[in-house]
Amino acid sequence: MGRGSYGCSVVGSLLLLLLLVCLGSAVAQKASTWKTLSGGPPLVIAKGGFSGLFPDSSDFAYGSAPGAALWCDVQLTKDGAGICLPDINMNNCTGISSFDPKGIKTYNVNGVPVKGWFPMDYKSADLLQQVFLKQPILSRTDKFDGLAIVPVEDVLSKYKTPAVWLNVQHDSFYSQFNLNMRSYILSVSKQFAVDYISSPEVNFLNSLLGRVSKKTKLVFRFLDEQTVEPSTNQTYGSLLKNLTFIKTIASGVLVPKHYILPVTKDNYLQPHTSVVDDAHKAGLEIYAADFANDFSFSYNYSYDPLAEYLSFIDNGAFSIDGVLTDFPITSSEAIGCFTNLNNSKIDHGKPLVISHNGASGDYPDCTDLAYQKAVADGADVIDCPVQVTKDGIPICMSSIDLGDVTTVANSQFSSQTSVIKDIKASPGVYSFNLTWDDISKNLKPKISNPMSTYKLYRNPRNMNAGNFMRLSDFLDFAKGKDLSGIMISIEHAAFMAQNLGFGVVDAVTKALDDSGYSKQTTQQVMIQSTNSSVLVKFKQQTKYNLVYMIEENVRDAAPSSIADIKKFADAVSVNTMSVYPVTQKFLTNQTNSLVQSLQSAGLPVYVYVLMNEFVSQPWDFFSDATQQINAYVKRPGGGVDGVITDFPATAHRYKLNSCMNMGNNTPGFMFPAQPGGLIENMPGPVQPPAIAPLPPLTESDVAEPPLPAVNSNAKAPASSRAAAIRVRADVSVLVTFMLCLCASLMI
Ligand SMILES: *[C@@H]1O[C@H](CO)[C@@H](O)[C@H](O)[C@H]1NC(C)=O
Ligand SMILES: *[C@@H]1O[C@H](CO)[C@@H](O)[C@H](O)[C@H]1NC(C)=O
Ligand SMILES: *[C@@H]1O[C@H](CO)[C@@H](O)[C@H](O)[C@H]1NC(C)=O
Ligand SMILES: *[C@@H]1O[C@H](CO)[C@@H](O)[C@H](O)[C@H]1NC(C)=O
Ligand SMILES: *[C@@H]1O[C@H](CO)[C@@H](O)[C@H](O)[C@H]1NC(C)=O
Ligand SMILES: *[C@@H]1O[C@H](CO)[C@@H](O)[C@H](O)[C@H]1NC(C)=O
Ligand SMILES: *[C@@H]1O[C@H](CO)[C@@H](O)[C@H](O)[C@H]1NC(C)=O
Ligand SMILES: *[C@@H]1O[C@H](CO)[C@@H](O)[C@H](O)[C@H]1NC(C)=O
């Protein structure tokens, strides 16, 4: 086998990294009482270790979850040794098929024929030395494939952990091969402290009663309701109705999470069942399984895995006693820092939570519903990207091409496409080709789906929800709300002036005057543009807070460019890549000094755009939007001053977390990710190629010619349109006159 385990030095340095990441347990500093059976904090159980990132049951995975109980799915080899493997079928989680291509067999496993490779067909020496582990879930990174299989005894002795949990998924199956799971478990529990033993088989747990240490908790594992439990012939669904019986064989139960919070077929949460209460009343602890940051999410959680944990441990009604998860770090955060928060607290302190097209993760961009949700979710600043209609009305719309964010493609206007080279090469139906009536009466908004290439879609029930907003509607809405400010973004100003005869800077200034924004001081008005000429013009005629958005990926900004920016901007927005460069979805170890350079010049820095969907984030943030925010805010050498996000709720909740200001006592799982940490721990051949350092921002990137004057001859909007109609009227009068003249001459 080319790729067995790759040695101790790798493991050593990985542990170093993860010590930083995971030091300290979730138990941490919670004084509050929990609604768990014991009143203590829920247990985090790391399924096969940190299996969301590393292959399930690998040394890396077990070494990366120090605050969590370590879960091992016990399997037996031909010679009766115990190994940890997530599935009795080794096909997906190991490289067994290349070790023994002809070894495929079909066995009847509890009444179901299963085709694959099975541990009891192989000697432990072969499995431990020749067969490597791999990531069975295709949406996860395979860069750490190739690690060795781990013996059960190692999990029991090698790692610093609050508890070891052995799960015996199959006992009756192994017994057909003269392998005695019970003797194996009893023998290891004589040598080592085993904290938990779980099994979905009644007879197996029964056979351990009174034979294991009193400190070992026996847990009955429920499988899907319709599945038949092999020793009683009852379905798990019917066993659930007899918890008094379960209590005679176990001190706790482990249930699929949908037993507690059921979801509909189309993935919406239903009200909770009484299972937690029932279990607690029967004196049973209750643990829930199937937690992961990257799949099996209900839309109700808005792709925020931390929100899901909170709904099981901090919902006001009950708390489960533990979570079985592939991503222990996120459960540790939830338990350690995010319970009992008062979500209505808003202080508008750093980091500013700036919405991106409103709460566009939940509702179509820039609709009334997206803005209402952003405010309700605790955004400090809501934003309006301004476009203009054919009749000269400034509107909030995230794209100048209506095809991106409305139902125009299925409307009577679908054929009104044009190719406008100044904007983009492909045809579009542009906001300035339709009147406000056309848009607001005939089109519906369309939710944005930036991760659709990964088949991740935002809440389908909200797909076309809400109403479009004019800039004036937006200002009316925002006024009087508890916001630190509003942000108005302007692009294509030169195009609008020259080709549409529309002066967007003047129009926005006028709208702000009309709404009273220019005369109030409670909310800050921020104007954002990627084009310095727009900000220069605002600087000349207003006192608004001007935000320069750097589009380029840059590592730093040349002093001369910063001096230029200072002339027209009060703050800067930068993209995620310019703060943390990424290669193949991993953070590189390059340290960009852009944030420090801008901040030392007195310019606050906002980072754009953060999203909850895990595919939008580098692996180093563990598929956890909260980790990503934390990395930007707590970045050593300069945290950002604000985040621009599709999901303001997640960012606002981050600001409330109880571990925010703990200094040296901050638990390890709230340390910012270490750039390059994961790459360094990959075997050389699979490391992504190093990328060239990004260029710095230069003066020439910043400098722009001044905005052109508004071309009053250009056909279109507002006051210039009225004039155009008058001219046309004059022409037709003239034509009529001439025709009559000719006619009379001919007579
Ligand atoms: C295992 O892999 C096969 C294809 O190789 C796939 O069809 C199957 O769904 C996988 N099973 C799991 C549990 O991932
Ligand atoms: C369970 O049912 C199967 C047939 O459905 C039967 O063969 C078996 O004896 C039953 N076992 C028990 C313990 O009742
Ligand atoms: C609960 O299960 C036990 C053992 O199988 C059985 O004796 C008892 O009748 C069951 N109780 C109910 C209410 O089903
Ligand atoms: C989940 O979302 C759906 C759709 O918005 C809603 O009807 C349902 O009440 C929500 N479920 C819970 C438990 O809040
Ligand atoms: C939550 O915060 C709000 C706003 O600061 C406050 O009015 C309310 O009393 C707080 N609620 C609790 C339970 O502390
Ligand atoms: C859209 O507006 C632009 C600018 O006024 C114009 O050049 C173009 O022809 C219009 N397209 C359509 C389809 O009306
Ligand atoms: C960064 O990573 C590259 C390999 O990707 C390595 O050669 C270099 O030494 C690392 N630099 C630092 C400062 O760790
Ligand atoms: C910025 O605006 C100027 C007009 O002020 C225009 O000439 C230039 O092309 C714009 N730059 C970009 C990158 O769009």
Side-chain angles (χ1 to χ4, degrees), residues 577-602:
M577 182 82 172
S578 297
V579 183
Y580 285 119
V582 168
T583 173
Q584 294 183 5
K585 280 195 78 182
F586 288 94
L587 297 189
T588 73
N589 62 7
Q590 292 168 21
T591 39
N592 285 357
S593 32
L594 179 67
V595 179
Q596 290 100 305
S597 300
L598 293 167
Q599 287 176 338
S600 336

PDB file of all heavy atoms in Angstrom, residues 577-602:
ATOM      1  N   MET A 577     -10.677  37.055   0.516  1.00  0.00           N
ATOM      2  CA  MET A 577      -9.391  36.549   0.022  1.00  0.00           C
ATOM      3  C   MET A 577      -8.234  37.490   0.362  1.00  0.00           C
ATOM      4  O   MET A 577      -7.112  37.049   0.572  1.00  0.00           O
ATOM      5  CB  MET A 577      -9.539  36.388  -1.499  1.00  0.00           C
ATOM      6  CG  MET A 577      -8.340  35.844  -2.200  1.00  0.00           C
ATOM      7  SD  MET A 577      -8.293  34.052  -2.069  1.00  0.00           S
ATOM      8  CE  MET A 577      -6.923  33.716  -3.186  1.00  0.00           C
ATOM      9  N   SER A 578      -8.517  38.798   0.419  1.00  0.00           N
ATOM     10  CA  SER A 578      -7.453  39.759   0.706  1.00  0.00           C
ATOM     11  C   SER A 578      -7.067  39.743   2.186  1.00  0.00           C
ATOM     12  O   SER A 578      -6.017  40.268   2.551  1.00  0.00           O
ATOM     13  CB  SER A 578      -7.895  41.172   0.310  1.00  0.00           C
ATOM     14  OG  SER A 578      -8.114  41.245  -1.080  1.00  0.00           O
ATOM     15  N   VAL A 579      -7.914  39.178   3.004  1.00  0.00           N
ATOM     16  CA  VAL A 579      -7.564  39.056   4.423  1.00  0.00           C
ATOM     17  C   VAL A 579      -6.914  37.694   4.675  1.00  0.00           C
ATOM     18  O   VAL A 579      -5.847  37.597   5.268  1.00  0.00           O
ATOM     19  CB  VAL A 579      -8.811  39.226   5.320  1.00  0.00           C
ATOM     20  CG1 VAL A 579      -8.413  39.171   6.787  1.00  0.00           C
ATOM     21  CG2 VAL A 579      -9.532  40.519   4.997  1.00  0.00           C
ATOM     22  N   TYR A 580      -7.571  36.647   4.190  1.00  0.00           N
ATOM     23  CA  TYR A 580      -7.038  35.289   4.326  1.00  0.00           C
ATOM     24  C   TYR A 580      -6.949  34.651   2.933  1.00  0.00           C
ATOM     25  O   TYR A 580      -7.954  34.149   2.422  1.00  0.00           O
ATOM     26  CB  TYR A 580      -7.954  34.428   5.183  1.00  0.00           C
ATOM     27  CG  TYR A 580      -7.906  34.703   6.662  1.00  0.00           C
ATOM     28  CD1 TYR A 580      -9.043  35.131   7.345  1.00  0.00           C
ATOM     29  CD2 TYR A 580      -6.738  34.507   7.398  1.00  0.00           C
ATOM     30  CE1 TYR A 580      -9.022  35.367   8.718  1.00  0.00           C
ATOM     31  CE2 TYR A 580      -6.707  34.732   8.763  1.00  0.00           C
ATOM     32  CZ  TYR A 580      -7.846  35.161   9.413  1.00  0.00           C
ATOM     33  OH  TYR A 580      -7.820  35.379  10.776  1.00  0.00           O
ATOM     34  N   PRO A 581      -5.771  34.650   2.310  1.00  0.00           N
ATOM     35  CA  PRO A 581      -5.656  34.013   0.988  1.00  0.00           C
ATOM     36  C   PRO A 581      -5.926  32.521   1.087  1.00  0.00           C
ATOM     37  O   PRO A 581      -5.618  31.883   2.100  1.00  0.00           O
ATOM     38  CB  PRO A 581      -4.205  34.273   0.581  1.00  0.00           C
ATOM     39  CG  PRO A 581      -3.650  35.227   1.574  1.00  0.00           C
ATOM     40  CD  PRO A 581      -4.503  35.202   2.786  1.00  0.00           C
ATOM     41  N   VAL A 582      -6.521  31.999   0.035  1.00  0.00           N
ATOM     42  CA  VAL A 582      -6.985  30.624   0.031  1.00  0.00           C
ATOM     43  C   VAL A 582      -6.490  29.914  -1.220  1.00  0.00           C
ATOM     44  O   VAL A 582      -6.457  30.506  -2.296  1.00  0.00           O
ATOM     45  CB  VAL A 582      -8.542  30.620   0.023  1.00  0.00           C
ATOM     46  CG1 VAL A 582      -9.088  29.247  -0.271  1.00  0.00           C
ATOM     47  CG2 VAL A 582      -9.078  31.134   1.345  1.00  0.00           C
ATOM     48  N   THR A 583      -6.065  28.668  -1.076  1.00  0.00           N
ATOM     49  CA  THR A 583      -5.800  27.839  -2.240  1.00  0.00           C
ATOM     50  C   THR A 583      -6.551  26.530  -2.087  1.00  0.00           C
ATOM     51  O   THR A 583      -6.495  25.896  -1.031  1.00  0.00           O
ATOM     52  CB  THR A 583      -4.284  27.594  -2.456  1.00  0.00           C
ATOM     53  OG1 THR A 583      -4.119  26.648  -3.496  1.00  0.00           O
ATOM     54  CG2 THR A 583      -3.580  27.105  -1.203  1.00  0.00           C
ATOM     55  N   GLN A 584      -7.285  26.158  -3.104  1.00  0.00           N
ATOM     56  CA  GLN A 584      -8.102  24.940  -3.073  1.00  0.00           C
ATOM     57  C   GLN A 584      -8.894  24.810  -1.772  1.00  0.00           C
ATOM     58  O   GLN A 584      -8.947  23.750  -1.158  1.00  0.00           O
ATOM     59  CB  GLN A 584      -7.236  23.702  -3.272  1.00  0.00           C
ATOM     60  CG  GLN A 584      -6.604  23.633  -4.647  1.00  0.00           C
ATOM     61  CD  GLN A 584      -5.802  22.353  -4.866  1.00  0.00           C
ATOM     62  OE1 GLN A 584      -5.769  21.461  -4.030  1.00  0.00           O
ATOM     63  NE2 GLN A 584      -5.144  22.280  -6.007  1.00  0.00           N
ATOM     64  N   LYS A 585      -9.511  25.889  -1.370  1.00  0.00           N
ATOM     65  CA  LYS A 585     -10.351  25.919  -0.173  1.00  0.00           C
ATOM     66  C   LYS A 585      -9.592  25.733   1.146  1.00  0.00           C
ATOM     67  O   LYS A 585     -10.182  25.436   2.178  1.00  0.00           O
ATOM     68  CB  LYS A 585     -11.498  24.897  -0.256  1.00  0.00           C
ATOM     69  CG  LYS A 585     -12.672  25.395  -1.103  1.00  0.00           C
ATOM     70  CD  LYS A 585     -13.919  24.559  -0.884  1.00  0.00           C
ATOM     71  CE  LYS A 585     -14.605  24.919   0.402  1.00  0.00           C
ATOM     72  NZ  LYS A 585     -15.786  24.105   0.672  1.00  0.00           N
ATOM     73  N   PHE A 586      -8.263  25.897   1.118  1.00  0.00           N
ATOM     74  CA  PHE A 586      -7.500  25.890   2.373  1.00  0.00           C
ATOM     75  C   PHE A 586      -6.825  27.243   2.561  1.00  0.00           C
ATOM     76  O   PHE A 586      -6.332  27.833   1.583  1.00  0.00           O
ATOM     77  CB  PHE A 586      -6.431  24.796   2.349  1.00  0.00           C
ATOM     78  CG  PHE A 586      -7.003  23.419   2.464  1.00  0.00           C
ATOM     79  CD1 PHE A 586      -7.287  22.675   1.328  1.00  0.00           C
ATOM     80  CD2 PHE A 586      -7.280  22.867   3.702  1.00  0.00           C
ATOM     81  CE1 PHE A 586      -7.835  21.399   1.424  1.00  0.00           C
ATOM     82  CE2 PHE A 586      -7.830  21.595   3.807  1.00  0.00           C
ATOM     83  CZ  PHE A 586      -8.107  20.865   2.680  1.00  0.00           C
ATOM     84  N   LEU A 587      -6.761  27.716   3.799  1.00  0.00           N
ATOM     85  CA  LEU A 587      -6.036  28.960   4.063  1.00  0.00           C
ATOM     86  C   LEU A 587      -4.557  28.725   3.840  1.00  0.00           C
ATOM     87  O   LEU A 587      -4.007  27.725   4.294  1.00  0.00           O
ATOM     88  CB  LEU A 587      -6.239  29.404   5.520  1.00  0.00           C
ATOM     89  CG  LEU A 587      -7.638  29.755   6.011  1.00  0.00           C
ATOM     90  CD1 LEU A 587      -7.549  30.368   7.416  1.00  0.00           C
ATOM     91  CD2 LEU A 587      -8.364  30.700   5.069  1.00  0.00           C
ATOM     92  N   THR A 588      -3.898  29.638   3.143  1.00  0.00           N
ATOM     93  CA  THR A 588      -2.451  29.537   2.994  1.00  0.00           C
ATOM     94  C   THR A 588      -1.804  30.190   4.212  1.00  0.00           C
ATOM     95  O   THR A 588      -2.465  30.884   4.983  1.00  0.00           O
ATOM     96  CB  THR A 588      -1.954  30.279   1.744  1.00  0.00           C
ATOM     97  OG1 THR A 588      -2.027  31.687   2.001  1.00  0.00           O
ATOM     98  CG2 THR A 588      -2.794  29.942   0.521  1.00  0.00           C
ATOM     99  N   ASN A 589      -0.502  29.948   4.357  1.00  0.00           N
ATOM    100  CA  ASN A 589       0.181  30.553   5.503  1.00  0.00           C
ATOM    101  C   ASN A 589       0.674  31.973   5.195  1.00  0.00           C
ATOM    102  O   ASN A 589       1.371  32.570   5.999  1.00  0.00           O
ATOM    103  CB  ASN A 589       1.335  29.661   5.986  1.00  0.00           C
ATOM    104  CG  ASN A 589       2.396  29.473   4.923  1.00  0.00           C
ATOM    105  OD1 ASN A 589       2.345  30.101   3.856  1.00  0.00           O
ATOM    106  ND2 ASN A 589       3.370  28.614   5.203  1.00  0.00           N
ATOM    107  N   GLN A 590       0.302  32.528   4.043  1.00  0.00           N
ATOM    108  CA  GLN A 590       0.704  33.906   3.742  1.00  0.00           C
ATOM    109  C   GLN A 590      -0.037  34.867   4.657  1.00  0.00           C
ATOM    110  O   GLN A 590      -1.245  34.760   4.832  1.00  0.00           O
ATOM    111  CB  GLN A 590       0.367  34.255   2.292  1.00  0.00           C
ATOM    112  CG  GLN A 590       1.199  33.486   1.293  1.00  0.00           C
ATOM    113  CD  GLN A 590       0.649  33.624  -0.124  1.00  0.00           C
ATOM    114  OE1 GLN A 590      -0.084  34.553  -0.422  1.00  0.00           O
ATOM    115  NE2 GLN A 590       1.018  32.684  -0.974  1.00  0.00           N
ATOM    116  N   THR A 591       0.696  35.807   5.212  1.00  0.00           N
ATOM    117  CA  THR A 591       0.009  36.787   6.050  1.00  0.00           C
ATOM    118  C   THR A 591      -0.104  38.101   5.300  1.00  0.00           C
ATOM    119  O   THR A 591       0.891  38.739   4.995  1.00  0.00           O
ATOM    120  CB  THR A 591       0.734  37.006   7.388  1.00  0.00           C
ATOM    121  OG1 THR A 591       2.126  36.996   7.126  1.00  0.00           O
ATOM    122  CG2 THR A 591       0.381  35.930   8.382  1.00  0.00           C
ATOM    123  N   ASN A 592      -1.306  38.462   4.989  1.00  0.00           N
ATOM    124  CA  ASN A 592      -1.562  39.727   4.305  1.00  0.00           C
ATOM    125  C   ASN A 592      -1.624  40.840   5.332  1.00  0.00           C
ATOM    126  O   ASN A 592      -2.220  40.668   6.389  1.00  0.00           O
ATOM    127  CB  ASN A 592      -2.889  39.654   3.553  1.00  0.00           C
ATOM    128  CG  ASN A 592      -2.763  38.823   2.297  1.00  0.00           C
ATOM    129  OD1 ASN A 592      -1.676  38.350   1.973  1.00  0.00           O
ATOM    130  ND2 ASN A 592      -3.857  38.645   1.592  1.00  0.00           N
ATOM    131  N   SER A 593      -1.020  41.987   5.007  1.00  0.00           N
ATOM    132  CA  SER A 593      -1.033  43.077   5.987  1.00  0.00           C
ATOM    133  C   SER A 593      -1.996  44.196   5.618  1.00  0.00           C
ATOM    134  O   SER A 593      -1.945  45.278   6.184  1.00  0.00           O
ATOM    135  CB  SER A 593       0.385  43.619   6.188  1.00  0.00           C
ATOM    136  OG  SER A 593       1.100  43.507   4.986  1.00  0.00           O
ATOM    137  N   LEU A 594      -2.886  43.895   4.669  1.00  0.00           N
ATOM    138  CA  LEU A 594      -3.838  44.911   4.213  1.00  0.00           C
ATOM    139  C   LEU A 594      -4.633  45.531   5.364  1.00  0.00           C
ATOM    140  O   LEU A 594      -4.729  46.761   5.479  1.00  0.00           O
ATOM    141  CB  LEU A 594      -4.794  44.285   3.185  1.00  0.00           C
ATOM    142  CG  LEU A 594      -5.863  45.205   2.626  1.00  0.00           C
ATOM    143  CD1 LEU A 594      -5.239  46.291   1.767  1.00  0.00           C
ATOM    144  CD2 LEU A 594      -6.892  44.417   1.805  1.00  0.00           C
ATOM    145  N   VAL A 595      -5.200  44.665   6.215  1.00  0.00           N
ATOM    146  CA  VAL A 595      -6.063  45.173   7.286  1.00  0.00           C
ATOM    147  C   VAL A 595      -5.275  46.109   8.198  1.00  0.00           C
ATOM    148  O   VAL A 595      -5.703  47.241   8.478  1.00  0.00           O
ATOM    149  CB  VAL A 595      -6.684  44.010   8.096  1.00  0.00           C
ATOM    150  CG1 VAL A 595      -7.548  44.546   9.228  1.00  0.00           C
ATOM    151  CG2 VAL A 595      -7.506  43.112   7.183  1.00  0.00           C
ATOM    152  N   GLN A 596      -4.081  45.668   8.624  1.00  0.00           N
ATOM    153  CA  GLN A 596      -3.274  46.529   9.501  1.00  0.00           C
ATOM    154  C   GLN A 596      -2.930  47.843   8.824  1.00  0.00           C
ATOM    155  O   GLN A 596      -3.007  48.904   9.433  1.00  0.00           O
ATOM    156  CB  GLN A 596      -1.953  45.852   9.897  1.00  0.00           C
ATOM    157  CG  GLN A 596      -2.102  44.697  10.842  1.00  0.00           C
ATOM    158  CD  GLN A 596      -2.032  43.375  10.097  1.00  0.00           C
ATOM    159  OE1 GLN A 596      -2.793  43.151   9.146  1.00  0.00           O
ATOM    160  NE2 GLN A 596      -1.116  42.521  10.497  1.00  0.00           N
ATOM    161  N   SER A 597      -2.522  47.777   7.552  1.00  0.00           N
ATOM    162  CA  SER A 597      -2.100  49.004   6.863  1.00  0.00           C
ATOM    163  C   SER A 597      -3.244  50.012   6.821  1.00  0.00           C
ATOM    164  O   SER A 597      -3.035  51.198   7.061  1.00  0.00           O
ATOM    165  CB  SER A 597      -1.636  48.703   5.443  1.00  0.00           C
ATOM    166  OG  SER A 597      -0.549  47.818   5.480  1.00  0.00           O
ATOM    167  N   LEU A 598      -4.428  49.527   6.480  1.00  0.00           N
ATOM    168  CA  LEU A 598      -5.570  50.444   6.391  1.00  0.00           C
ATOM    169  C   LEU A 598      -5.937  50.976   7.770  1.00  0.00           C
ATOM    170  O   LEU A 598      -6.184  52.169   7.952  1.00  0.00           O
ATOM    171  CB  LEU A 598      -6.768  49.736   5.749  1.00  0.00           C
ATOM    172  CG  LEU A 598      -6.591  49.357   4.271  1.00  0.00           C
ATOM    173  CD1 LEU A 598      -7.681  48.384   3.824  1.00  0.00           C
ATOM    174  CD2 LEU A 598      -6.594  50.598   3.383  1.00  0.00           C
ATOM    175  N   GLN A 599      -5.953  50.066   8.745  1.00  0.00           N
ATOM    176  CA  GLN A 599      -6.339  50.499  10.090  1.00  0.00           C
ATOM    177  C   GLN A 599      -5.326  51.479  10.674  1.00  0.00           C
ATOM    178  O   GLN A 599      -5.708  52.439  11.339  1.00  0.00           O
ATOM    179  CB  GLN A 599      -6.526  49.287  11.008  1.00  0.00           C
ATOM    180  CG  GLN A 599      -7.805  48.521  10.692  1.00  0.00           C
ATOM    181  CD  GLN A 599      -7.967  47.254  11.520  1.00  0.00           C
ATOM    182  OE1 GLN A 599      -6.985  46.711  12.034  1.00  0.00           O
ATOM    183  NE2 GLN A 599      -9.190  46.770  11.632  1.00  0.00           N
ATOM    184  N   SER A 600      -4.031  51.249  10.407  1.00  0.00           N
ATOM    185  CA  SER A 600      -3.043  52.198  10.947  1.00  0.00           C
ATOM    186  C   SER A 600      -3.211  53.571  10.330  1.00  0.00           C
ATOM    187  O   SER A 600      -2.795  54.574  10.911  1.00  0.00           O
ATOM    188  CB  SER A 600      -1.603  51.757  10.718  1.00  0.00           C
ATOM    189  OG  SER A 600      -1.502  50.403  10.557  1.00  0.00           O
ATOM    190  N   ALA A 601      -3.798  53.610   9.124  1.00  0.00           N
ATOM    191  CA  ALA A 601      -4.046  54.916   8.501  1.00  0.00           C
ATOM    192  C   ALA A 601      -5.369  55.501   8.970  1.00  0.00           C
ATOM    193  O   ALA A 601      -5.832  56.510   8.432  1.00  0.00           O
ATOM    194  CB  ALA A 601      -4.038  54.761   6.988  1.00  0.00           C
ATOM    195  N   GLY A 602      -6.010  54.845   9.933  1.00  0.00           N
ATOM    196  CA  GLY A 602      -7.252  55.382  10.481  1.00  0.00           C
ATOM    197  C   GLY A 602      -8.486  55.003   9.682  1.00  0.00           C
ATOM    198  O   GLY A 602      -9.532  55.618   9.835  1.00  0.00           O
TER     199      GLY A 602
END
